[in-house]
Amino acid sequence: MGTVFMAGSSFAQQVTIPVETQHNALVLQTDAEKNLKMVYFGVKLNNTKEYEAIQKMYNQADDSGILNSAYTPSGSANLAEPAITVTHADGNKSLNLVYVNHVVTKVDDDISLLTVTLKDPAYDFEVKLFYKTYFKEDVTEQWSVIKHGEKGIVTLNKFASANLNLKGSGFWLKQYHGNWAMEMQPEEAKLTHGIKTIDSKLGTRANLYEPSMFMVSMDKPATEDEGKVLLGALEWSGNFKIDLELDVANNLRVIAGINNAASEYHLKSGEEFTTPALVYTYSDQGKGDASRKLQSWARNHKIVDGQGSRLTLLNNWEATGFDFNEAKLAELLKDTKKLGVDLFLLDDGWFGNKYPRNDDHAGLGDWQENKQKLPNGISSLVKEAQANGVKFGIWIEPEMVNPKSELYTKHPDWVIKQPNRPEKYFRNQLELDLSNPKVQDFVFNIVDDLFTKNPDLAYIKWDCNAVIYNAYSAYLKKDQSHLYIDYVRGLYKVLERVRVKYPKVPLMLCSGGGGRVDYGALKYFTEFWPSDNTDPIERIFIQWEYSYFYPAITSSNHVTDWGKQPLKFRTDVAMMGKLGFDIVISKLSADDQAYLHGALNNYNNLKDVIWHGNQYRLQSPWDNDAASIMYVNEAKSTGVVFNYLVNNRYGTGTHVPVRLKGLDPQKKYQVKEVNLYPNAKSSLENNLILTGDFLMTVGVNPHVNSGRTSVVLQLDEVK
């Protein structure tokens, strides 16, 4: 049980609440009117008592008196962008929130939970602010819970998860944009006065155009190893909104949460509205350090089996598309065993009978095995896989429906579509209405039936390829503005049920690529699909940017026939995460097959370092002819460095050594090249042994050039 701190009746005393982690602090403080303000964010002070003196050191213009509010209400004294806007049951739109008390609960040695209660003195309206801190990782999850006891319905017009106030002599935002096969394109710029908004109104696949991850550098643009930087990501798979307001006092206000566009929420008396968490971390040692904190937090606390293992796989999609049968799949199952991976994954096209799934125009929603393609069903394939000594996995897209399907004919009221408008399709499909509990049951049963009929099914790839057009729910009737929110909540209810019944089964989060990569969904998944673009040159850039927010163990990287790079290059790139294959093994040359066997052996030796080690970005693909990225285990005894040529102009390559990071300067390391193609020789000298000091100060040249476009180096401590 936590300790409760109450406001005194005279409120003579000021309340200061430090929210501390191993290196950092966020400080909340009340003023004479009980307004709760955020007065500090940065490296923590040695003397906790001195936090009380911070606010007095600032003399900045603030006519409202609440510009740095910890959760800014609208309609009263506030003159800036609010975190919360409401319409009370009597129609009044003003809100004032004052401090009542706070509770600190110690969850375990690493985790603490601060709960701060704020109330409106004039209305029976309450907001609780939650700050869940992960001490060792320097990570905070922040969210709010909104509740009222008014007579009637209160409308929530805006309802942010977090409202951060940052101080600095300037702020630089790194954000992302993209589209299908062009995910995670970065842009960085100085923030000017006014409001910069990153948002999504797509309903599903919400991260397709603008991902909900961002970085803010303070005082100057942070580099990989220097500078003050905040990394933030919203744990929500639907419409989001992040407002960054450089205010009149030259401070930055970051307000993040569910997008309130077309989503005002009608809250009954006594009902609680819980916002999703904003997860964030801070470092004064650059973007690399901040990203390692976030990656460590994700592995330790958020993703399913983050400290565990993953399955390598062979997928049939690039080999067959929709055109397959039992005989073709039997050959691919033999290839899976021959290749030496753990699992065969059957992709789209295995279902539908009245409307067979022979292309993407029909069948979605009709999840019975196609009798022509699979006369003996999925169970025979699972047995065939077992006979070949491999596991079996399957693709589903359970949230979706094709108009050409039995489900659409039987349950048109389950489909999100406007009753009086022409249907508009995204990839020839529509969404099922997950705000409806019957639809939630239907979607859960798709998964449950697969496992019930096939208990040895070992993997599911969960896709989501459409956005929401013509948003309308037959189930919600008059509360149409709840749809975007209740859809995501319905999805999470289904995923929660899946995880309760099947806690450890590997699930890949796919959304036509990176359309749904967020920690709101990833808490139910073991991995995600970064992009349908598997061209290895493109993937170097895409995987590089994702790695700031997500650990390598979550990134599904497949070797395919996309791009013009040799098999070695494609495989080396895919090894920077969770390795898979989507190629026709039987068509490979003997040398290619020999290379893959050797590469898989190397991967099995190094995957623990890649999945669970610390990641260091050495040379950015955006700024160099060659990109270099490194993983080191916690003991600093083993490391792996991936190097790739990303510029094909004449004479490009690594002309100077690449300085390594994260090693022990006192230790000696043997540096050897691995993943060599058959009959190829390394240009590194044999039995090269160098100290960590040398490798981090001078570096090592991997000799990347047009003849050696990808080079993988393994480092092992020499005792």
Side-chain angles (χ1 to χ4, degrees), residues 176-231:
Y176 296 90
H177 67 97
N179 204 336
W180 179 81
M182 295 174 59
E183 287 83 0
M184 293 298 282
Q185 303 299 308
E187 291 177 319
E188 190 162 22
K190 187 174 185 181
L191 288 164
T192 56
H193 286 85
I195 299 177
K196 168 74 179 181
T197 299
I198 306 168
D199 78 340
S200 172
K201 303 180 185 76
L202 303 179
T204 60
R205 291 189 77 182
N207 286 320
L208 179 62
Y209 299 147
E210 287 194 4
S212 52
M213 297 84 78
F214 63 96
M215 299 183 203
V216 175
S217 299
M218 289 155 250
D219 297 337
K220 62 181 182 181
T223 64
E224 193 66 29
D225 300 308
E226 294 181 338
K228 303 173 184 174
V229 65
L230 162 80
L231 266 62

Coordinates of all heavy atoms in Angstrom, one line a residue, residues 176-231:
Y176 N 8.4 11.5 -37.8 CA 8.4 10.6 -38.9 C 7.2 10.7 -39.8 O 6.1 11.1 -39.3 CB 8.5 9.1 -38.3 CG 9.8 8.9 -37.6 CD1 9.9 9.1 -36.2 CD2 11.0 8.5 -38.2 CE1 11.1 9.0 -35.5 CE2 12.2 8.3 -37.6 CZ 12.2 8.6 -36.2 OH 13.4 8.4 -35.5
H177 N 7.4 10.4 -41.0 CA 6.2 10.3 -42.0 C 6.5 9.1 -42.9 O 7.5 8.5 -42.8 CB 6.1 11.6 -42.8 CG 7.2 11.8 -43.7 ND1 7.2 11.4 -45.1 CD2 8.5 12.3 -43.6 CE1 8.3 11.7 -45.7 NE2 9.1 12.2 -44.8
G178 N 5.5 8.7 -43.7 CA 5.7 7.6 -44.5 C 4.4 7.2 -45.2 O 3.4 7.9 -45.3
N179 N 4.4 6.0 -45.8 CA 3.3 5.4 -46.5 C 3.7 4.0 -46.7 O 4.7 3.5 -46.2 CB 3.1 6.1 -47.9 CG 1.7 5.9 -48.4 OD1 0.9 5.0 -48.0 ND2 1.2 6.8 -49.2
W180 N 2.8 3.2 -47.4 CA 3.1 1.8 -47.6 C 4.5 1.7 -48.3 O 4.8 2.3 -49.3 CB 2.0 1.1 -48.5 CG 2.3 -0.3 -48.7 CD1 2.1 -1.3 -47.9 CD2 2.9 -0.9 -49.9 NE1 2.5 -2.5 -48.4 CE2 3.0 -2.3 -49.7 CE3 3.4 -0.3 -51.1 CZ2 3.6 -3.1 -50.6 CZ3 3.9 -1.2 -52.0 CH2 4.0 -2.6 -51.8
A181 N 5.3 0.8 -47.7 CA 6.7 0.5 -48.2 C 7.6 1.7 -48.1 O 8.8 1.7 -48.6 CB 6.7 0.0 -49.7
M182 N 7.2 2.7 -47.4 CA 8.1 3.9 -47.2 C 8.0 4.3 -45.7 O 7.9 5.5 -45.4 CB 7.7 5.1 -48.1 CG 7.8 4.8 -49.6 SD 7.1 6.2 -50.5 CE 8.1 7.6 -49.9
E183 N 8.0 3.4 -44.8 CA 7.8 3.7 -43.4 C 9.0 4.4 -42.8 O 10.1 4.2 -43.2 CB 7.5 2.3 -42.6 CG 6.2 1.7 -42.9 CD 6.1 0.9 -44.2 OE1 7.1 0.8 -44.9 OE2 5.0 0.3 -44.4
M184 N 8.7 5.1 -41.7 CA 9.7 5.7 -40.8 C 10.7 6.6 -41.5 O 11.9 6.5 -41.4 CB 10.4 4.6 -40.0 CG 9.5 3.9 -39.0 SD 8.8 5.0 -37.7 CE 10.3 5.1 -36.7
Q185 N 10.2 7.5 -42.4 CA 11.0 8.5 -43.0 C 11.2 9.7 -42.0 O 10.2 10.3 -41.6 CB 10.4 9.1 -44.3 CG 10.1 8.0 -45.3 CD 11.3 7.2 -45.8 OE1 12.3 7.9 -46.2 NE2 11.3 5.9 -45.7
P186 N 12.4 10.0 -41.6 CA 12.6 11.0 -40.5 C 12.7 12.4 -41.0 O 13.2 12.7 -42.2 CB 14.0 10.6 -39.9 CG 14.7 10.0 -41.1 CD 13.7 9.3 -42.0
E187 N 12.3 13.3 -40.2 CA 12.5 14.8 -40.4 C 12.8 15.4 -39.1 O 12.2 15.1 -38.1 CB 11.2 15.4 -41.0 CG 10.9 15.0 -42.4 CD 9.6 15.6 -42.9 OE1 8.6 15.7 -42.1 OE2 9.5 16.0 -44.0
E188 N 13.8 16.3 -39.1 CA 14.1 17.0 -37.8 C 14.2 18.5 -38.1 O 14.8 18.9 -39.1 CB 15.4 16.5 -37.3 CG 15.7 17.0 -35.9 CD 16.8 16.2 -35.1 OE1 17.6 15.6 -35.8 OE2 16.8 16.3 -33.9
A189 N 13.6 19.3 -37.2 CA 13.5 20.8 -37.4 C 13.4 21.5 -36.1 O 12.8 20.9 -35.1 CB 12.4 21.1 -38.4
K190 N 13.8 22.7 -36.1 CA 13.6 23.5 -34.9 C 12.2 23.9 -34.8 O 11.5 24.3 -35.7 CB 14.5 24.8 -34.9 CG 14.5 25.6 -33.6 CD 15.5 26.7 -33.6 CE 15.5 27.4 -32.2 NZ 16.4 28.5 -32.2
L191 N 11.6 23.8 -33.5 CA 10.2 24.2 -33.3 C 10.2 25.7 -33.2 O 10.9 26.3 -32.4 CB 9.7 23.5 -32.1 CG 9.4 22.0 -32.2 CD1 9.3 21.3 -30.9 CD2 8.2 21.8 -33.1
T192 N 9.2 26.3 -33.8 CA 9.0 27.8 -33.7 C 7.7 28.0 -32.9 O 7.0 27.0 -32.6 CB 8.8 28.4 -35.1 OG1 7.7 27.7 -35.8 CG2 10.1 28.3 -35.9
H193 N 7.4 29.3 -32.6 CA 6.2 29.6 -31.7 C 5.0 29.1 -32.4 O 4.8 29.2 -33.7 CB 6.2 31.0 -31.4 CG 7.2 31.4 -30.4 ND1 8.5 31.7 -30.7 CD2 7.2 31.5 -29.0 CE1 9.2 32.0 -29.6 NE2 8.4 31.9 -28.6
G194 N 4.0 28.7 -31.6 CA 2.8 28.2 -32.2 C 2.7 26.7 -31.9 O 3.5 26.2 -31.0
I195 N 1.9 26.0 -32.5 CA 1.6 24.6 -32.3 C 2.0 23.7 -33.5 O 1.5 23.9 -34.6 CB 0.2 24.3 -31.9 CG1 -0.2 25.1 -30.6 CG2 0.0 22.8 -31.6 CD1 -1.6 24.9 -30.2
K196 N 2.9 22.7 -33.2 CA 3.2 21.7 -34.2 C 2.4 20.5 -33.8 O 2.5 20.0 -32.7 CB 4.7 21.4 -34.3 CG 5.1 20.2 -35.0 CD 5.0 20.4 -36.5 CE 5.4 19.1 -37.3 NZ 5.3 19.3 -38.7
T197 N 1.6 19.9 -34.7 CA 0.8 18.7 -34.4 C 1.2 17.6 -35.3 O 1.4 17.7 -36.5 CB -0.7 19.0 -34.7 OG1 -1.1 20.1 -33.8 CG2 -1.6 17.8 -34.4
I198 N 1.4 16.4 -34.6 CA 1.6 15.1 -35.3 C 0.3 14.4 -34.9 O 0.0 14.2 -33.8 CB 2.8 14.4 -34.7 CG1 4.1 15.2 -34.8 CG2 3.0 13.0 -35.4 CD1 5.2 14.6 -34.0
D199 N -0.4 13.9 -36.0 CA -1.6 13.2 -35.6 C -2.0 12.2 -36.7 O -1.4 12.1 -37.8 CB -2.8 14.2 -35.4 CG -3.4 14.8 -36.7 OD1 -2.7 14.7 -37.7 OD2 -4.5 15.3 -36.6
S200 N -3.0 11.4 -36.4 CA -3.6 10.4 -37.3 C -5.1 10.4 -37.2 O -5.6 10.5 -36.1 CB -3.1 9.0 -37.0 OG -3.7 8.1 -37.8
K201 N -5.8 10.3 -38.3 CA -7.3 10.2 -38.3 C -7.7 9.0 -39.1 O -8.8 8.9 -39.7 CB -7.9 11.4 -38.9 CG -7.5 12.7 -38.1 CD -8.2 14.0 -38.7 CE -7.7 15.2 -38.1 NZ -6.3 15.6 -38.5
L202 N -6.8 8.0 -39.2 CA -7.0 6.8 -40.1 C -7.9 5.7 -39.5 O -8.4 4.8 -40.2 CB -5.7 6.2 -40.5 CG -4.7 7.1 -41.2 CD1 -3.4 6.3 -41.5 CD2 -5.3 7.7 -42.5
G203 N -8.1 5.8 -38.2 CA -8.9 4.8 -37.5 C -8.2 3.5 -37.1 O -8.0 3.2 -36.0
T204 N -7.7 2.8 -38.1 CA -6.8 1.7 -38.0 C -5.6 2.0 -38.8 O -5.5 2.9 -39.6 CB -7.4 0.4 -38.4 OG1 -7.7 0.5 -39.8 CG2 -8.7 0.0 -37.7
R205 N -4.6 1.1 -38.7 CA -3.3 1.4 -39.4 C -2.9 2.8 -39.1 O -2.4 3.5 -40.0 CB -3.4 1.2 -40.9 CG -3.6 -0.3 -41.3 CD -3.5 -0.4 -42.8 NE -2.1 -0.4 -43.2 CZ -1.7 -0.4 -44.5 NH1 -2.6 -0.6 -45.4 NH2 -0.4 -0.4 -44.8
A206 N -3.1 3.3 -37.9 CA -3.0 4.7 -37.6 C -1.6 5.3 -37.8 O -1.4 6.5 -38.0 CB -3.4 4.9 -36.1
N207 N -0.5 4.4 -37.8 CA 0.8 4.9 -37.9 C 1.3 5.0 -39.4 O 2.5 5.2 -39.7 CB 1.8 4.1 -37.1 CG 1.7 4.4 -35.6 OD1 1.6 5.5 -35.2 ND2 1.8 3.3 -34.8
L208 N 0.4 4.7 -40.3 CA 0.8 4.6 -41.7 C 1.4 5.9 -42.3 O 2.4 5.8 -42.9 CB -0.5 4.2 -42.6 CG -0.3 4.1 -44.1 CD1 0.7 3.0 -44.4 CD2 -1.6 3.8 -44.8
Y209 N 0.8 7.0 -42.1 CA 1.3 8.3 -42.6 C 2.1 9.1 -41.6 O 3.1 9.7 -42.0 CB 0.1 9.2 -43.0 CG -0.8 8.6 -44.1 CD1 -2.2 8.9 -44.2 CD2 -0.3 7.7 -45.1 CE1 -3.0 8.4 -45.1 CE2 -1.1 7.2 -46.1 CZ -2.5 7.5 -46.1 OH -3.3 7.0 -47.1
E210 N 1.8 9.1 -40.4 CA 2.5 9.7 -39.3 C 2.6 8.9 -38.1 O 1.6 8.7 -37.4 CB 1.9 11.1 -39.0 CG 2.1 12.2 -40.0 CD 1.8 13.6 -39.5 OE1 1.5 13.7 -38.3 OE2 1.8 14.5 -40.3
P211 N 3.7 8.2 -37.8 CA 3.9 7.4 -36.6 C 3.8 8.2 -35.3 O 4.1 9.4 -35.3 CB 5.2 6.8 -36.8 CG 5.5 6.8 -38.2 CD 4.9 8.1 -38.7
S212 N 3.3 7.6 -34.3 CA 3.1 8.3 -33.0 C 4.3 8.2 -32.1 O 4.2 8.3 -30.9 CB 1.9 7.6 -32.3 OG 2.1 6.2 -32.2
M213 N 5.5 8.1 -32.7 CA 6.8 8.2 -31.9 C 7.5 9.5 -32.3 O 7.4 10.0 -33.4 CB 7.7 7.0 -32.3 CG 7.2 5.7 -32.0 SD 6.1 5.0 -33.2 CE 7.3 4.5 -34.5
F214 N 8.2 10.1 -31.4 CA 8.9 11.4 -31.6 C 10.0 11.6 -30.7 O 10.2 10.9 -29.7 CB 7.9 12.5 -31.5 CG 7.3 12.7 -30.1 CD1 7.9 13.6 -29.2 CD2 6.2 11.9 -29.6 CE1 7.4 13.7 -27.9 CE2 5.7 12.0 -28.4 CZ 6.3 12.9 -27.5
M215 N 10.9 12.5 -31.0 CA 12.0 12.9 -30.2 C 12.0 14.4 -30.1 O 11.7 15.1 -31.1 CB 13.4 12.5 -30.8 CG 13.6 11.0 -31.0 SD 15.3 10.8 -31.6 CE 15.1 9.2 -32.4
V216 N 12.4 14.9 -28.9 CA 12.6 16.4 -28.7 C 14.0 16.6 -28.1 O 14.3 16.1 -27.0 CB 11.5 17.0 -27.8 CG1 11.8 18.5 -27.6 CG2 10.1 16.8 -28.4
S217 N 14.8 17.3 -28.9 CA 16.1 17.7 -28.3 C 16.0 19.1 -27.7 O 15.2 20.0 -28.2 CB 17.1 17.8 -29.4 OG 17.3 16.6 -30.1
M218 N 16.7 19.3 -26.6 CA 16.7 20.6 -25.8 C 18.0 21.3 -25.9 O 19.0 20.6 -25.8 CB 16.3 20.3 -24.4 CG 14.8 19.9 -24.2 SD 14.6 18.9 -22.7 CE 14.3 17.3 -23.5
D219 N 18.0 22.6 -26.1 CA 19.2 23.5 -26.2 C 19.9 23.4 -27.5 O 20.3 24.4 -28.1 CB 20.2 23.2 -25.1 CG 19.6 23.5 -23.7 OD1 18.6 24.3 -23.6 OD2 20.1 22.9 -22.7
K220 N 20.0 22.2 -28.1 CA 20.6 22.1 -29.4 C 20.2 20.7 -29.9 O 19.8 19.8 -29.1 CB 22.2 22.2 -29.3 CG 22.8 21.1 -28.5 CD 24.3 21.3 -28.4 CE 25.0 20.1 -27.6 NZ 26.4 20.3 -27.5
P221 N 20.3 20.4 -31.2 CA 20.0 19.1 -31.7 C 20.9 18.0 -31.1 O 22.1 18.2 -31.2 CB 20.2 19.2 -33.2 CG 20.1 20.7 -33.5 CD 20.7 21.4 -32.3
A222 N 20.3 17.1 -30.5 CA 21.1 16.0 -29.9 C 21.6 15.1 -31.0 O 21.0 15.0 -32.1 CB 20.2 15.1 -29.0
T223 N 22.8 14.5 -30.8 CA 23.4 13.6 -31.7 C 23.2 12.2 -31.1 O 22.6 12.0 -30.1 CB 24.9 13.9 -31.9 OG1 25.6 13.8 -30.7 CG2 25.1 15.3 -32.5
E224 N 23.9 11.2 -31.7 CA 23.8 9.9 -31.2 C 24.3 9.8 -29.8 O 23.8 9.0 -28.9 CB 24.5 8.9 -32.1 CG 24.3 7.4 -31.9 CD 22.8 7.0 -32.2 OE1 22.2 7.7 -33.1 OE2 22.3 6.1 -31.6
D225 N 25.4 10.5 -29.5 CA 26.1 10.3 -28.2 C 26.1 11.6 -27.3 O 26.8 11.6 -26.3 CB 27.5 9.8 -28.4 CG 27.5 8.5 -29.1 OD1 26.8 7.5 -28.7 OD2 28.2 8.4 -30.2
E226 N 25.6 12.7 -27.8 CA 25.6 13.9 -27.0 C 24.3 14.6 -27.1 O 23.5 14.5 -28.1 CB 26.7 14.9 -27.6 CG 28.1 14.3 -27.4 CD 29.1 15.3 -28.0 OE1 28.8 16.1 -28.9 OE2 30.3 15.2 -27.6
G227 N 24.0 15.4 -26.0 CA 22.8 16.3 -26.0 C 21.7 15.7 -25.2 O 21.6 14.6 -24.8
K228 N 20.8 16.7 -24.8 CA 19.6 16.4 -24.0 C 18.4 16.0 -25.0 O 18.1 16.8 -25.9 CB 19.2 17.6 -23.2 CG 20.3 18.1 -22.3 CD 19.8 19.4 -21.7 CE 20.9 20.1 -20.8 NZ 20.5 21.4 -20.3
V229 N 17.8 14.9 -24.7 CA 16.7 14.4 -25.6 C 15.7 13.7 -24.9 O 16.0 12.9 -24.0 CB 17.3 13.6 -26.8 CG1 18.0 12.3 -26.3 CG2 16.3 13.4 -27.9
L230 N 14.4 13.9 -25.3 CA 13.3 13.2 -24.8 C 12.8 12.3 -26.0 O 12.6 12.7 -27.1 CB 12.1 14.1 -24.4 CG 10.7 13.6 -24.3 CD1 10.5 12.8 -23.0 CD2 9.7 14.7 -24.5
L231 N 12.6 11.0 -25.7 CA 12.0 10.1 -26.6 C 10.6 9.7 -26.1 O 10.5 9.4 -24.9 CB 12.8 8.8 -26.8 CG 13.8 8.7 -27.9 CD1 14.9 9.8 -27.8 CD2 14.4 7.3 -28.0

